[in-house]
Amino acid sequence: MTTCNANLYTTQELAQTMPHEGKFPLVALPYSEDALEPFISKETILFHHARHLKAYVDNLNAALPGTSLHALSLEEVVQKAEGSILNNAGQVLNHNLYFTQLRPPTEHNIPKGRIADAIKARFGCFDNFKKEFIEKGVTLFGSGWVWLSADKQGNLYITQEQNAGNPVRQGLRPLLCFDVWEHAYYIDYRNRRAEHLQGLWKLIDWEVVCKRYCQGRENNCSLGRHDNDAYSGKGGNCDKSGKSCNLNGDNTHQEKASACNR
């Protein structure tokens, strides 16, 4: 099966996720299948990506021909579809965003730059945000997703979505998600959902999340690496206007993200 570039979900506008030759492709993993161990095993990745996600992609591509949705972007399909097409399209979009936000384990992995500022403004500190996010994941009944999303003004929201739900249906821009379907963790954790969710924090690529956040604003996100069209290329420091993500510069944003107000 043709795979699509994972960068589509980190450096391009989400609304441009168009089918290739009439079909939505299976997103490529931006890391090796064993790169997320010990928090997500190679076995889980093989089942989750190559079987579960592939099945959603195949089902969606089989269902779209002959419908009014066949020429739309993936996001537009998720916004407008109902029933089985929504279920499969939602799961394709959700998993694409999920797999492309992960990276090999990193100690002391916390947000930096503009997304760190937004988290501090909304939740007080990163620890408060993590606590609420984990609680939403643990208490979501049955299968579904927990999302961090932003509105057009950059305000952040944590939402629970049942089954294949995605915040784009509420007009929000998805930034970060945790998959709480059992197929995402049962091989490694059995029924220990909370333990799985805690481990995911070491795997989040905050550069990706920051790019997604900045794309939803009128200002560009300057990251100092990856696609030249998406940043200024001058390094990672924020300029005085606050228009760029500080991911390679000083620790100002890091301290603001992790330190709770007393």
Side-chain angles (χ1 to χ4, degrees):
M1 170 181 287
T2 301
T3 58
C4 63
N5 189 343
N7 286 339
L8 185 63
Y9 293 90
T10 61
T11 61
Q12 301 291 328
E13 290 295 330
L14 289 174
Q16 296 176 356
T17 314
M18 301 301 296
H20 177 68
E21 296 181 352
K23 294 182 180 295
F24 289 106
L26 178 68
V27 70
L29 295 175
Y31 40 77
S32 64
E33 293 163 341
D34 61 354
L36 307 182
E37 293 182 340
F39 300 100
I40 301 178
S41 68
K42 179 178 180 178
E43 184 180 10
T44 290
I45 290 293
L46 288 172
F47 274 91
H48 198 179
H49 177 263
R51 296 193 183 184
H52 286 281
L53 177 53
K54 184 178 183 299
Y56 294 130
V57 171
D58 290 344
N59 290 341
L60 176 62
N61 287 329
L64 284 176
T67 73
S68 60
L69 305 171
H70 76 280
L72 300 181
S73 71
L74 181 57
E75 291 70 29
E76 290 173 316
V77 174
V78 173
Q79 288 173 325
K80 297 180 180 182
E82 299 294 340
S84 62
I85 292 181
L86 171 60
N87 290 338
N88 286 286
Q91 286 294 73
V92 173
L93 178 58
N94 295 352
H95 283 90
N96 288 357
L97 291 165
Y98 173 76
F99 283 120
T100 58
Q101 71 182 3
L102 303 179
R103 58 174 295 170
T106 303
E107 290 296 327
H108 310 297
N109 190 31
I110 64 175
K112 304 174 187 177
R114 293 183 63 188
I115 189 62
D117 286 344
I119 288 173
K120 184 177 186 295
R122 173 65 177 84
F123 302 99
C125 67
F126 185 48
D127 289 339
N128 289 346
F129 163 69
K130 286 201 302 181
K131 181 179 179 180
E132 182 174 340
F133 206 82
I134 292 293
E135 182 180 0
K136 293 287 188 182
V138 171
T139 60
L140 191 151
F141 182 78
S143 299
W145 300 79
V146 181
W147 293 90
L148 176 68
S149 303
D151 62 19
K152 293 181 179 179
Q153 290 70 46
N155 302 307
L156 298 182
Y157 301 88
I158 296 176
T159 59
Q160 295 172 314
E161 298 285 349
Q162 292 282 346
N163 299 319
N166 187 292
V168 298
R169 288 176 66 86
Q170 285 77 52
L172 297 173
R173 185 178 187 83
L175 307 176
L176 169 73
C177 59
F178 282 7
D179 187 349
V180 295
W181 283 67
E182 284 192 343
H183 65 236
Y185 62 87
Y186 201 82
I187 291 173
D188 300 328
Y189 295 90
R190 297 299 187 261
N191 64 339
R192 303 190 308 277
R193 179 189 285 186
E195 184 178 341
H196 165 64
L197 297 180
Q198 288 289 352
L200 287 178
W201 294 117
K202 294 186 182 297
L203 305 177
I204 299 301
D205 189 336
W206 286 106
E207 182 172 340
V208 169
V209 179
C210 192
K211 283 185 178 182
R212 293 174 180 173
Y213 178 69
C214 292
Q215 287 165 9
R217 313 288 301 277
E218 63 181 358
N219 297 324
N220 235 357
C221 188
S222 178
L223 298 173
R225 60 184 184 183
H226 292 312
D227 291 352
N228 290 328
D229 291 339
Y231 65 91
S232 65
K234 297 181 180 179
N237 291 322
C238 283
D239 58 21
K240 293 182 179 179
S241 67
K243 294 182 180 180
S244 59
C245 287
N246 180 355
L247 295 182
N248 299 315
D250 61 41
N251 293 325
T252 303
H253 295 279
Q254 182 172 342
E255 293 168 358
K256 292 166 72 176
S258 59
C260 285
N261 294 329
R262 302 296 182 184

